[in-house]
Amino acid sequence: MPAPEVRLVLAVSLDGRLAPATGGAAQLGGTGDRRVLEEALAWADGALVGGNTIRQHGCTCLIRDADLSAQRQQQGRPPQPAALVVSRQAHWDQRLRLFQQPLQRWLLGPLEAVPAGFDRVLGLQDWRHTLADLAALGFEHVLLLGGAQLASQLLALGLVDELQLTLVPQLLGGPHSWLRSDLALESSVWELKEHRPLGADELLVRYRRI
């Protein structure tokens, strides 16, 4: 069954946390991390993000660097990848910044009618069929932006092809890991494809599943 290539992109603390122990929106990663995030967005046709993550942050990530937007347009692609929001909820606060961002908004969930603020609904079956549906609609590269629940689901199913992690020189503690604490993963082997310093003592590591 054809499927898009899926890359998980996250900035995490040295102890693998996404947020402080007290919770709240993550504020990890500096200018170097922002650049490699935008490079990944420029690669992607769509960016998967959980509905709870959208509600916490109010928006999804955009490409800001003009050279990357221009590169996409030269390739005949829209300036931004589509936002693929995973949620069962039909009612959304239209004041969220997501609904003012200049991109296509798709809702992946069990709904049939298109809720206000979204351009399209794609029925969420099991993930293998949903990814196949995305591939059939022209999504060759999909970025997975989180949160931990969504990332854990796709990793548990073996549907993530690459990990792109920015290691941030902080120790945060607490329960907010980038994987669910109760997740049982089958053993898998990953090959290091890239590593580079990003400044401010941050390090990019990119692994591909073998």
Side-chain angles (χ1 to χ4, degrees), residues 34 37 41 47 54 59-63 80-81 101 103 145:
R34 180 71 202 193
L37 167 62
L41 287 166
I54 291 290
C59 60
T60 189
C61 300
L62 292 179
I63 299 170
Q80 305 288 339
Q101 290 183 299
L103 42 61
L145 296 176

Side-chain angles (χ1 to χ4, degrees), residues 34-35 37-44 60-70 72 77-81 101-103:
R34 180 71 202 193
R35 175 64 188 191
L37 167 62
E38 293 194 22
E39 289 172 359
L41 287 166
W43 165 86
T60 189
C61 300
L62 292 179
I63 299 170
R64 298 174 186 164
D65 286 354
D67 64 318
L68 295 174
S69 294
R72 286 177 60 89
R77 305 161 75 205
Q80 305 288 339
Q101 290 183 299
L103 42 61

